[in-house]
């Protein structure tokens, strides 16, 4: 797992391109992280923190996210590959 801090948001694209084919779960609190190819993005909702998942990015490297976790996500981007 690689956590990319919000402070590194300028480097997000560069970091994601370097680990794109590796089975490394990418996680960040950077805005629009899953829209930019990241796998799991933390999002603030008032006093709470939720998460978003980019299913295409996750399954492309062979990582599986279970249905129960997907149900808890605030946003799921992509189509599940069967």
């Amino acid at each position: 797992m690689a956590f990319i801090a919000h402070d590194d948001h300028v480097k997000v694209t560069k970091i994601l391109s370097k680990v794109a084919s590796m089975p490394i779960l990418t996680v960040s609190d950077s805005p629009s992280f899953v829209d930019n190819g990241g796998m799991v993005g933390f999002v603030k909702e008032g006093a709470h923190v939720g998460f978003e998942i980019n299913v295409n990015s996750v399954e492309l490297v062979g990582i599986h996210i279970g249905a129960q976790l997907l149900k808890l996500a605030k946003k799921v981007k992509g189509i599940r590959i069967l």
Side-chain angles (χ1 to χ4, degrees):
M1 181 174 96
F3 181 81
I4 304 165
H6 173 72
D7 298 342
D8 291 335
H9 71 276
V10 174
K11 301 175 190 172
V12 168
T13 305
K14 187 175 182 179
I15 293 168
L16 289 175
S17 68
K18 288 189 178 206
V19 299
S21 62
M22 300 177 199
I24 297 173
L25 181 70
T26 56
V27 181
S28 182
D29 58 349
S30 182
S32 303
F33 184 65
V34 298
D35 294 326
N36 294 320
M39 296 179 188
V40 178
F42 292 118
V43 291
K44 280 187 82 171
E45 294 181 339
H48 302 282
V49 176
F51 63 93
E52 303 173 339
I53 298 174
N54 183 326
V55 176
N56 287 339
S57 293
V58 172
E59 292 187 348
L60 199 68
V61 296
I63 298 173
H64 175 76
I65 302 284
Q68 295 295 353
L69 189 59
L70 291 173
K71 287 180 187 177
L72 295 173
K74 299 297 178 190
K75 173 181 170 182
V76 176
K77 179 181 169 92
I79 299 171
R80 294 201 72 172
I81 300 169
L82 299 175

